[in-house]
Amino acid sequence: MRDIVEIGLGKTARRGYHLDDVALTASRRTRGSKDVSIAWQIDAHQFDLPLVAAPSDAVVSPATAREVDRLGGLAVLNGEGLWARYPDPEPLFDQIRSDGAPDDLMRRLYAEPVRPELVAQHINDLNKSGARVAVRLSPQHTLAHAQAIVDAGVDILVIQGTVVSAEHVAMGREALNLKTFIADLDIPVIVGGCANYQTALHLMRTGAAGIIVGYGAYRGSTTPRMLGIDVPMATAIADAAAARRDYLDETGGRYVHIVAHGDISTGGDIAKAVACGADAVMLGEPLALAAETPGGGTYWDATVSHPKLPRSELLRLVADGDRIPLTEVLLGPTADPSGARNLFGGLRRAMAKCGYSNVKEFQRAELTLAHRG
Amino acid sequence: MRDIVEIGLGKTARRGYHLDDVALTASRRTRGSKDVSIAWQIDAHQFDLPLVAAPSDAVVSPATAREVDRLGGLAVLNGEGLWARYPDPEPLFDQIRSDGAPDDLMRRLYAEPVRPELVAQHINDLNKSGARVAVRLSPQHTLAHAQAIVDAGVDILVIQGTVVSAEHVAMGREALNLKTFIADLDIPVIVGGCANYQTALHLMRTGAAGIIVGYGAYRGSTTPRMLGIDVPMATAIADAAAARRDYLDETGGRYVHIVAHGDISTGGDIAKAVACGADAVMLGEPLALAAETPGGGTYWDATVSHPKLPRSELLRLVADGDRIPLTEVLLGPTADPSGARNLFGGLRRAMAKCGYSNVKEFQRAELTLAHRG
Amino acid sequence: MRDIVEIGLGKTARRGYHLDDVALTASRRTRGSKDVSIAWQIDAHQFDLPLVAAPSDAVVSPATAREVDRLGGLAVLNGEGLWARYPDPEPLFDQIRSDGAPDDLMRRLYAEPVRPELVAQHINDLNKSGARVAVRLSPQHTLAHAQAIVDAGVDILVIQGTVVSAEHVAMGREALNLKTFIADLDIPVIVGGCANYQTALHLMRTGAAGIIVGYGAYRGSTTPRMLGIDVPMATAIADAAAARRDYLDETGGRYVHIVAHGDISTGGDIAKAVACGADAVMLGEPLALAAETPGGGTYWDATVSHPKLPRSELLRLVADGDRIPLTEVLLGPTADPSGARNLFGGLRRAMAKCGYSNVKEFQRAELTLAHRG
Amino acid sequence: MRDIVEIGLGKTARRGYHLDDVALTASRRTRGSKDVSIAWQIDAHQFDLPLVAAPSDAVVSPATAREVDRLGGLAVLNGEGLWARYPDPEPLFDQIRSDGAPDDLMRRLYAEPVRPELVAQHINDLNKSGARVAVRLSPQHTLAHAQAIVDAGVDILVIQGTVVSAEHVAMGREALNLKTFIADLDIPVIVGGCANYQTALHLMRTGAAGIIVGYGAYRGSTTPRMLGIDVPMATAIADAAAARRDYLDETGGRYVHIVAHGDISTGGDIAKAVACGADAVMLGEPLALAAETPGGGTYWDATVSHPKLPRSELLRLVADGDRIPLTEVLLGPTADPSGARNLFGGLRRAMAKCGYSNVKEFQRAELTLAHRG
């Protein structure tokens, strides 16, 4: 059953499955969709939706963070993004949208130094409004910037890179020791991305409240072409869920949440990610459709501005004027059957048709492997 | 041989196969196509063709129902469709065909209340003309509308939703108990859709004369994207056929018919559905080519008008003027080799070339798995 | 190792492979291409090339038959084609090439009765010119027309339909008994198509000198869509080769030739068909590139004109003026690397690079399964 | 686990995997990219990069060879290419770039006789400049031309054809005996291409310092269509690595390098080739993007000019003016995320993210089989 293939003499590869490769199977019982709960709780924080808005400048501004909170999710502001580098980044977005060759522009814009006091101010403002907020830092800059962010009262800290391990080797430089770092913090930390059982288990052992599975692959990601690295999300989520079970056993009850991030564009993708074992999903690109997001219908992630080796491209997804309210994107109702709207209504109905009543139970849902050609 | 795959540690998926994945294998004997019977009998009703016309307003009007009956099949009128909501829906079809953004229109048109007396009148008219007719209700509205329809003299009742189970959980509301409901009826009931052995067996135990396998996937279906649910039809039909065998054994001889519904566009698809185990096929989209169908060359199904989460889109398949008589679509002759015409001539010839003489025998035909890239 | 898959409970399918799915593997030894023989002998007939030109009116006229013979192959004239129905079919080809909707035209042209005396005259002429010729009849009309063709001195008779079995059941009509028919003939018979071990073995037992594997699938074939029947050629050829081995054993030495027909467009396809076990290939569509063929750059096969259920379409492959001499198509040299020219030079070089010196040995060549996406 | 499939009764094929079928899996540890070495050493020659520039006239001129050497790689000049046939081939490149039908032109240009003294002069010039250089000869012409090239002081000799075996059978003509030929030379020889364990082992036993795996498949290659031969590179590289291990054991320590050649377009492809077992990669098509290469943005390989059976086509990849410095192609930095730039920066970062510190270790990296549809 374990899917190990010999690709050549003495060299094996494990078969991995993308979310596109699987589908949900409705079996035996059905349920009214009103009798289904899609709520999520991590640490002391309760959310109506198992939604984490990705720390992309294109989709999370301080204002969007407030709106995401209002609708029941958790938004992550990029602690090294434009709002962390410029007192007023709004005009930069116009420039990004109108620029003909945005790759170079991105590199220039993100070359401006990070000013932690700007992030602290945004946290303060959000706290005052009553909205919860998370901030993302890269592993490389966590030691430098985390203190200011924590002091400002952030609710959840997100330490996130394309690939994050519990053991980073950096000769002759100080490396972040996740375990001691997290132990010293009073707030929950979500850390990732990772892509397999071993890394997931090690990240859980750092004391994180949640781990991110995947690197946030979207249609503009070129990590597979630039590095040869790819993450088949169905397999990676299921592996991390196995690590969660084993870690729960080894700790006698510590439950670490799995946040799936990558290749999730539709309500169906969300449902499948949960059915593979995710507790919540981190969404980036799908939120670009919402009129409230700052990118004006474009999407990019943090790798777009790498000074030497960018690994994604800015996507123009929808004309600014064709965007719709975030509430329709997340909760509907909608008249559009494309899968991109009423994302969590899709999750709810999928659970109802498969007969499950909450997200945790739905992780046991039956799957079929049957890609349409 | 059983195709269970570990997609991640501790999470399995069963491999499923679409009709596109399989092909018929001609073996040993051949037969003259005139020596082949493609007749179908369910309960006391005999049909020249194993054809059920799907309860889509785009293809079944009271007039089409008469024509389908004349040509040897069974048409299902949608008991919650436009003919059930408007005394004269004809002008609405012009509007649908000419409207630029039909999604919203559909929602509005189907917001009109159902008037069971309209359906009853259509049933009366069809009865008078000597044509048999079936009517479809959704599980949610069966309790409300079935009595009027049965009283009007419908021949067969079809209870159909995207996913129908024998055990629907609806807290605090009255749910349809299929078993007691069917026991109280004097006419045969066809119920579905379902997608696997367990649900099929449970639906058979409700006393249904036939079950529908599949949700009627057509090129405009977005259920996989909206909900993550998909039905690989070759696998689902074969599973239901296994349930039919086991139910036949457990009841000492009650034969429940399997009506395959979804991903069937050509004569070859019909042949493959039967070879997987179907007794008959429910066709929607392929009938839109027929000049007699009301949609004027468009197709949609009941999910298009869902008020919050539509799961299909109206397809414009063929210009009105390019349509052809229903008899050519179903029975030929034709000069068009595309697979869309002379659908049941295709079935007949496939059976002849594989050496089978009736539909029941043809369910044993040999299959090959060999998708063309 | 045997590739049987359970597609649903209790229903299996065997996995089949197309020629596109496999590739040759060069191993250990190489050889000069001049040290390779690609000659073919069937019964008393020796050919420089393992080539049978398919009985399509688009590629084999009496004149082409002469040219194919001159270049070392065997051409098959369609004994029920245009040359069998019209004293001078040349003007019809102009009509076919210029007609906008050729499907109906084809049906009309092929409605003209067959006149065996016309075929007899073509055979006489070819005999006089010293060229060998084969004629194809359908199983349905073999009894009616074969005698005249044999009497005229045809070298090889080809009895060919989409699916031909050794046991055709036709109630109340006289069916062709291949075994007694072939036993009464003094010339070799090639019969087919077939698609698996069982049918191949049964056809070998009729006394045929060769059998055809496949139904001649080309880019215009719609048999899979019309009937659901498809033939994965790599598997079908290998199965027939197994039947050839077993029949050789059961008869103590009768070797029946396998002629592969379908999905062969390039020199690489020919090499792969032989490596799967074929003794020769029947080519249709690839010959349309040759200026000498009558179709003027179009191709169709016998199923195009079926009066009720045509299963292929006329393809316009190349502009008449862009065609090249048959000798370049078959033997090169060429400056075109597309695979469509110097077909048998490709076979010869493939054999050389894999280290084989004749066609029979090359049937043992190693294959890899590795489709390019 | 061994992936042998029965494609038909008694005929098997081994499943092979392309580089596109696999992806790297980041596991457990990560590493700073500055702490990674991508150096390569073969025989006494040390290189900063595991790069061999392919002997295509489109990418390696004497001038490019110098630049490749300067940037840390090894360039191979085609000893039977335009620089070996013409004293000044520069004007021919203009002709190639502007010609409308280059196939015939190529054949004519390469019909000019090879003049070994021209190659000798280029070697002298490169030696004087301090740049190392390799020269490629085909197996057919090695005996005729090698002496002059060796005498001129070439650093490494490359004997390369589409398929090269250690045992070439050529009746009545003198064949190259690689073993005795290499034994008599004082410089290292790299030989290939080969595609499986057996041929790789035999080539290693000839005394070669390195072997080439693959035939240099690029987007313009038609060898699969012309000959039916294809090389799934992931499998072929891994097989050759197994031969390297066995040969190392059988010789008590002779390490033969594996140079992967074919289907490598991006930094990710390079990383995957190494992870399958390659010591270095031979790059052709990807270098056409560099302004220093002679083809002006086009690419072709030696098979394009075959007088009878060409097996590749000249590709126009990029407009001359859109090309970039070779240093950006190989080493970055770049703002382009397509995968085609900063190829070895991609390798370095892939190794860092997977936690490996040198090329040899990285050959053990974990792979996933998960093609994106």
Side-chain angles (χ1 to χ4, degrees):
Chain A
M1 246 179 31
R2 184 69 59 83
D3 234 356
I4 304 287
V5 173
E6 190 184 67
I7 60 158
L9 296 166
K11 182 82 189 178
T12 57
R14 183 176 170 217
R15 217 177 270 277
Y17 298 93
H18 295 284
L19 291 174
D20 262 5
D21 295 326
V22 300
L24 288 160
T25 310
S27 58
R28 282 184 293 184
R29 186 183 298 175
T30 51
R31 191 175 284 278
S33 63
K34 282 170 188 143
D35 303 328
V36 167
S37 160
I38 57 171
W40 177 48
Q41 173 166 1
I42 178 168
D43 207 84
H45 299 287
Q46 302 209 12
F47 299 95
D48 290 346
L49 305 177
L51 163 67
V52 181
S56 157
D57 284 337
V59 295
V60 176
S61 66
T64 339
R66 203 151 24 224
E67 184 66 4
V68 168
D69 177 84
R70 192 181 71 80
L71 293 171
L74 170 67
V76 185
L77 191 67
N78 186 359
E80 299 165 20
L82 298 176
W83 273 275
R85 298 176 194 262
Y86 298 89
D88 177 15
E90 296 286 357
L92 305 178
F93 285 97
D94 294 334
Q95 211 180 330
I96 288 168
R97 284 194 297 268
S98 63
D99 192 78
D103 291 341
D104 267 330
L105 173 68
M106 292 309 237
R107 212 153 52 154
R108 283 199 313 276
L109 291 179
Y110 284 87
E112 188 76 9
V114 168
R115 295 166 54 185
E117 71 275 16
L118 294 176
V119 184
Q121 187 57 49
H122 294 308
I123 295 169
N124 282 333
D125 293 349
L126 283 159
N127 279 347
K128 274 182 210 146
S129 77
R132 286 164 300 189
V133 67
V135 169
R136 173 258 176 186
L137 290 174
S138 66
Q140 296 90 314
H141 299 115
T142 294
L143 290 178
H145 302 318
Q147 197 58 50
I149 285 165
V150 170
D151 289 347
V154 78
D155 292 287
I156 294 179
L157 182 66
V158 176
I159 302 175
Q160 186 178 16
T162 301
V163 177
V164 170
S165 75
E167 183 192 350
H168 183 76
V169 180
M171 287 186 268
R173 282 154 284 154
E174 187 187 17
L176 174 67
N177 182 322
L178 279 171
K179 195 162 185 177
T180 58
F181 178 83
I182 291 174
D184 289 344
L185 283 187
D186 282 337
I187 56 166
V189 175
I190 295 174
V191 64
C194 68
N196 63 358
Y197 174 87
Q198 203 65 25
T199 322
L201 185 63
H202 288 193
L203 288 181
M204 287 173 181
R205 287 178 179 155
T206 65
I211 64 166
I212 298 162
V213 172
Y215 63 85
Y218 70 103
R219 275 170 286 172
S221 299
T222 59
T223 292
R225 277 182 278 153
M226 293 302 274
L227 303 185
I229 293 174
D230 199 1
V231 178
M233 287 296 288
T235 297
I237 296 169
D239 278 7
R244 184 179 60 202
R245 280 193 301 277
D246 289 352
Y247 182 69
L248 195 69
D249 184 64
E250 125 189 356
T251 56
R254 223 186 138 251
Y255 188 90
V256 181
H257 288 257
I258 292 170
V259 180
H261 185 36
D263 291 332
I264 302 178
S265 307
T266 65
D269 293 335
I270 296 172
K272 292 191 279 183
V274 171
C276 287
D279 296 285
V281 292
M282 181 179 272
L283 300 185
E285 180 187 11
L287 304 185
L289 179 61
E292 293 90 339
T293 54
T298 66
Y299 186 71
W300 67 89
D301 72 15
T303 65
V304 87
S305 60
H306 192 286
K308 290 185 184 170
L309 198 81
R311 294 193 309 277
S312 59
E313 56 189 16
L314 183 148
L315 281 191
R316 298 173 190 285
L317 293 158
V318 57
D320 200 352
D322 292 341
R323 296 196 295 161
I324 58 171
L326 181 60
T327 183
E328 182 178 343
V329 174
L330 297 179
L331 301 168
T334 187
D336 174 280
S338 71
R341 306 185 185 191
N342 196 359
L343 296 170
F344 289 91
L347 170 62
R348 178 183 293 278
R349 251 154 235 278
M351 291 168 65
K353 289 194 187 298
C354 293
Y356 292 92
S357 60
N358 64 53
V359 167
K360 187 66 203 158
E361 279 181 11
F362 192 47
Q363 293 171 352
R364 295 199 308 264
E366 281 179 47
L367 294 174
T368 299
L369 258 182
H371 192 58
R372 279 174 186 271
Chain B
M1 245 179 32
R2 185 67 60 84
D3 235 357
I4 303 288
V5 172
E6 190 185 67
I7 61 158
L9 296 165
K11 183 82 188 181
T12 57
R14 181 174 171 220
R15 217 177 271 277
Y17 298 93
H18 295 284
L19 291 175
D20 262 3
D21 295 326
V22 299
L24 288 160
T25 310
S27 58
R28 282 184 292 182
R29 186 183 299 175
T30 51
R31 193 176 283 277
S33 64
K34 282 168 188 144
D35 303 328
V36 166
S37 160
I38 57 171
W40 177 47
Q41 171 164 2
I42 179 169
D43 207 85
H45 298 286
Q46 304 209 11
F47 299 96
D48 291 346
L49 305 177
L51 162 68
V52 181
S56 157
D57 284 337
V59 296
V60 176
S61 66
T64 339
R66 202 151 23 224
E67 183 66 4
V68 167
D69 178 84
R70 193 182 69 81
L71 293 171
L74 170 68
V76 185
L77 192 66
N78 186 359
E80 298 165 22
L82 299 177
W83 275 274
R85 298 175 195 264
Y86 298 89
D88 177 15
E90 296 286 358
L92 306 177
F93 285 96
D94 293 335
Q95 211 179 331
I96 289 168
R97 283 194 297 268
S98 63
D99 192 77
D103 291 341
D104 267 331
L105 172 68
M106 291 310 236
R107 213 153 49 154
R108 284 201 313 276
L109 292 180
Y110 284 87
E112 187 76 11
V114 168
R115 296 166 54 186
E117 71 275 17
L118 294 177
V119 184
Q121 186 56 48
H122 294 308
I123 295 168
N124 282 334
D125 293 347
L126 283 158
N127 280 348
K128 275 182 211 146
S129 78
R132 285 163 300 189
V133 66
V135 169
R136 173 257 176 188
L137 291 173
S138 66
Q140 297 89 314
H141 299 114
T142 294
L143 290 178
H145 302 318
Q147 198 58 49
I149 285 164
V150 171
D151 290 348
V154 77
D155 293 286
I156 294 179
L157 183 65
V158 176
I159 302 175
Q160 184 178 17
T162 300
V163 177
V164 170
S165 75
E167 183 191 352
H168 183 74
V169 181
M171 287 186 268
R173 281 154 284 154
E174 185 188 18
L176 174 67
N177 182 321
L178 279 171
K179 195 162 185 176
T180 56
F181 178 83
I182 291 174
D184 290 343
L185 281 187
D186 283 337
I187 56 166
V189 175
I190 294 175
V191 63
C194 68
N196 62 358
Y197 173 87
Q198 203 65 28
T199 323
L201 185 63
H202 289 194
L203 289 181
M204 288 172 181
R205 287 177 181 157
T206 64
I211 64 166
I212 298 162
V213 172
Y215 63 85
Y218 70 103
R219 275 170 287 172
S221 299
T222 60
T223 292
R225 276 182 279 153
M226 293 302 275
L227 304 184
I229 293 174
D230 199 1
V231 177
M233 287 296 288
T235 297
I237 296 168
D239 279 6
R244 184 180 57 200
R245 279 192 301 277
D246 290 351
Y247 182 69
L248 194 69
D249 184 64
E250 122 189 359
T251 57
R254 220 186 141 252
Y255 189 90
V256 181
H257 288 257
I258 293 172
V259 180
H261 185 35
D263 292 332
I264 302 177
S265 307
T266 64
D269 293 336
I270 296 172
K272 292 191 279 184
V274 171
C276 287
D279 296 285
V281 292
M282 181 179 271
L283 300 184
E285 181 188 11
L287 304 186
L289 179 61
E292 292 91 338
T293 55
T298 66
Y299 186 72
W300 67 88
D301 71 15
T303 65
V304 87
S305 60
H306 192 285
K308 291 184 183 170
L309 198 82
R311 293 192 310 277
S312 59
E313 55 189 17
L314 183 147
L315 280 191
R316 298 173 190 284
L317 292 159
V318 57
D320 200 352
D322 293 340
R323 296 197 295 161
I324 58 171
L326 181 60
T327 183
E328 181 178 344
V329 174
L330 298 179
L331 301 170
T334 187
D336 174 281
S338 72
R341 306 186 184 189
N342 196 358
L343 295 171
F344 289 91
L347 170 62
R348 177 184 293 278
R349 251 154 236 278
M351 291 168 65
K353 289 193 188 299
C354 293
Y356 292 92
S357 60
N358 65 53
V359 166
K360 186 65 202 160
E361 278 181 11
F362 192 48
Q363 294 172 352
R364 295 198 309 264
E366 282 179 47
L367 294 173
T368 300
L369 258 182
H371 192 57
R372 280 175 186 270
Chain C
M1 248 180 29
R2 185 68 60 84
D3 235 357
I4 304 289
V5 172
E6 190 184 70
I7 62 159
L9 296 165
K11 183 82 188 180
T12 57
R14 181 174 170 218
R15 218 177 268 277
Y17 298 94
H18 294 284
L19 290 175
D20 261 4
D21 295 326
V22 300
L24 287 160
T25 310
S27 59
R28 284 184 291 181
R29 186 183 300 175
T30 50
R31 193 176 283 277
S33 65
K34 282 169 188 143
D35 303 328
V36 167
S37 160
I38 57 171
W40 177 46
Q41 171 165 1
I42 179 168
D43 207 85
H45 298 286
Q46 304 209 11
F47 298 96
D48 290 345
L49 306 176
L51 163 67
V52 180
S56 157
D57 284 337
V59 295
V60 176
S61 65
T64 339
R66 204 153 20 225
E67 183 66 3
V68 167
D69 177 83
R70 192 181 70 81
L71 293 171
L74 170 68
V76 185
L77 191 68
N78 185 358
E80 299 165 20
L82 298 177
W83 274 275
R85 297 175 195 263
Y86 297 89
D88 177 17
E90 296 287 355
L92 306 177
F93 285 97
D94 294 334
Q95 210 180 332
I96 289 169
R97 283 196 297 269
S98 63
D99 192 77
D103 292 342
D104 267 332
L105 172 67
M106 291 310 235
R107 213 154 49 155
R108 284 200 312 277
L109 292 180
Y110 284 87
E112 187 76 10
V114 168
R115 296 165 55 186
E117 71 276 16
L118 294 176
V119 184
Q121 185 58 48
H122 293 309
I123 295 170
N124 281 335
D125 294 347
L126 283 159
N127 279 348
K128 275 184 211 147
S129 78
R132 286 165 298 189
V133 66
V135 169
R136 173 257 175 186
L137 291 174
S138 66
Q140 297 90 314
H141 299 114
T142 294
L143 290 178
H145 302 317
Q147 197 58 50
I149 285 165
V150 170
D151 290 348
V154 77
D155 292 286
I156 294 179
L157 182 67
V158 175
I159 302 174
Q160 185 179 15
T162 300
V163 177
V164 170
S165 75
E167 185 191 351
H168 183 74
V169 181
M171 286 186 269
R173 282 154 283 154
E174 186 188 15
L176 174 66
N177 182 322
L178 279 171
K179 196 163 183 175
T180 56
F181 178 81
I182 292 175
D184 290 344
L185 281 187
D186 282 336
I187 56 165
V189 175
I190 296 175
V191 64
C194 69
N196 62 359
Y197 173 88
Q198 204 65 26
T199 323
L201 186 63
H202 288 193
L203 289 182
M204 287 173 182
R205 288 179 179 154
T206 64
I211 64 166
I212 298 162
V213 172
Y215 63 85
Y218 69 103
R219 276 172 285 172
S221 298
T222 60
T223 291
R225 277 183 278 153
M226 294 301 277
L227 303 185
I229 294 175
D230 199 0
V231 177
M233 285 297 288
T235 297
I237 296 169
D239 279 7
R244 184 181 56 201
R245 279 193 300 278
D246 290 351
Y247 183 68
L248 194 68
D249 185 63
E250 121 188 1
T251 56
R254 222 185 139 251
Y255 188 91
V256 180
H257 289 257
I258 292 170
V259 180
H261 185 35
D263 292 332
I264 301 178
S265 306
T266 65
D269 293 336
I270 295 172
K272 293 191 278 184
V274 171
C276 287
D279 297 285
V281 292
M282 181 179 271
L283 300 184
E285 181 188 11
L287 304 186
L289 180 61
E292 292 90 338
T293 54
T298 65
Y299 185 72
W300 68 87
D301 71 15
T303 65
V304 87
S305 59
H306 191 285
K308 291 184 183 169
L309 198 81
R311 294 192 309 276
S312 60
E313 56 190 16
L314 183 148
L315 281 191
R316 299 174 189 283
L317 292 158
V318 58
D320 200 351
D322 293 341
R323 297 197 294 162
I324 58 171
L326 181 61
T327 182
E328 181 177 343
V329 174
L330 297 179
L331 300 170
T334 188
D336 174 281
S338 71
R341 306 185 185 191
N342 195 358
L343 296 171
F344 289 90
L347 170 62
R348 177 184 293 278
R349 252 154 234 279
M351 291 169 66
K353 287 192 189 300
C354 294
Y356 292 93
S357 59
N358 65 53
V359 166
K360 186 66 203 160
E361 279 181 10
F362 193 48
Q363 292 172 352
R364 296 199 307 265
E366 281 179 47
L367 294 174
T368 299
L369 257 182
H371 193 57
R372 281 174 184 270
Chain D
M1 247 181 28
R2 185 68 61 83
D3 236 356
I4 304 288
V5 172
E6 189 184 69
I7 60 160
L9 295 166
K11 182 83 189 179
T12 58
R14 182 175 170 218
R15 218 178 268 277
Y17 298 94
H18 294 284
L19 291 174
D20 261 4
D21 295 326
V22 300
L24 287 159
T25 311
S27 59
R28 282 184 293 182
R29 186 183 299 176
T30 50
R31 191 176 284 276
S33 64
K34 283 169 187 143
D35 303 328
V36 167
S37 161
I38 57 171
W40 177 46
Q41 172 166 1
I42 179 168
D43 206 86
H45 298 287
Q46 303 210 10
F47 299 96
D48 290 345
L49 306 176
L51 164 67
V52 180
S56 157
D57 284 337
V59 296
V60 176
S61 66
T64 338
R66 205 153 20 226
E67 184 65 4
V68 168
D69 177 83
R70 193 181 70 80
L71 293 170
L74 170 68
V76 185
L77 191 68
N78 186 359
E80 299 165 19
L82 297 177
W83 273 275
R85 296 176 196 262
Y86 298 88
D88 177 15
E90 296 287 358
L92 306 178
F93 285 96
D94 294 334
Q95 211 180 329
I96 289 169
R97 284 194 297 270
S98 63
D99 193 78
D103 292 342
D104 267 331
L105 173 67
M106 292 309 236
R107 211 153 49 153
R108 282 201 313 276
L109 292 180
Y110 284 86
E112 187 77 10
V114 169
R115 295 166 53 186
E117 71 276 16
L118 294 176
V119 185
Q121 186 58 48
H122 294 308
I123 295 170
N124 281 335
D125 294 347
L126 283 159
N127 279 349
K128 275 182 210 145
S129 77
R132 284 165 300 189
V133 66
V135 169
R136 172 258 177 187
L137 291 174
S138 65
Q140 297 90 315
H141 299 115
T142 293
L143 289 179
H145 302 317
Q147 197 58 48
I149 285 165
V150 170
D151 289 348
V154 77
D155 293 287
I156 293 179
L157 182 66
V158 175
I159 302 175
Q160 186 179 14
T162 300
V163 176
V164 170
S165 74
E167 184 192 352
H168 183 75
V169 180
M171 286 186 268
R173 280 154 285 153
E174 187 188 16
L176 174 67
N177 182 322
L178 279 171
K179 197 162 184 177
T180 57
F181 178 81
I182 291 174
D184 290 343
L185 282 186
D186 282 336
I187 56 165
V189 175
I190 296 174
V191 63
C194 68
N196 63 357
Y197 174 86
Q198 203 66 26
T199 322
L201 185 62
H202 288 193
L203 288 182
M204 288 173 181
R205 288 177 180 158
T206 65
I211 64 165
I212 299 162
V213 172
Y215 63 85
Y218 69 103
R219 275 171 287 171
S221 299
T222 59
T223 292
R225 276 182 279 152
M226 294 300 277
L227 303 185
I229 293 175
D230 200 1
V231 178
M233 286 297 288
T235 297
I237 296 169
D239 279 7
R244 183 179 58 201
R245 279 192 301 278
D246 290 352
Y247 182 69
L248 194 68
D249 185 63
E250 123 189 358
T251 57
R254 221 185 139 251
Y255 188 90
V256 181
H257 289 257
I258 292 170
V259 180
H261 185 37
D263 292 332
I264 302 178
S265 306
T266 65
D269 292 337
I270 295 172
K272 293 191 278 183
V274 171
C276 287
D279 297 284
V281 292
M282 181 180 271
L283 300 185
E285 181 188 10
L287 304 186
L289 181 61
E292 294 90 339
T293 54
T298 65
Y299 185 71
W300 67 89
D301 71 16
T303 64
V304 86
S305 59
H306 191 287
K308 291 185 184 169
L309 198 81
R311 294 194 308 277
S312 61
E313 56 189 17
L314 183 147
L315 280 190
R316 299 173 190 284
L317 292 158
V318 57
D320 200 352
D322 292 341
R323 296 195 296 161
I324 58 171
L326 181 60
T327 182
E328 181 178 343
V329 174
L330 297 180
L331 300 169
T334 188
D336 173 281
S338 72
R341 305 185 186 192
N342 196 358
L343 296 171
F344 289 90
L347 171 62
R348 177 183 294 278
R349 250 153 235 280
M351 290 168 66
K353 288 193 188 298
C354 293
Y356 292 91
S357 60
N358 64 53
V359 166
K360 187 66 205 161
E361 278 181 9
F362 192 47
Q363 293 172 353
R364 296 199 307 263
E366 281 179 48
L367 294 174
T368 300
L369 258 182
H371 192 58
R372 281 174 185 272

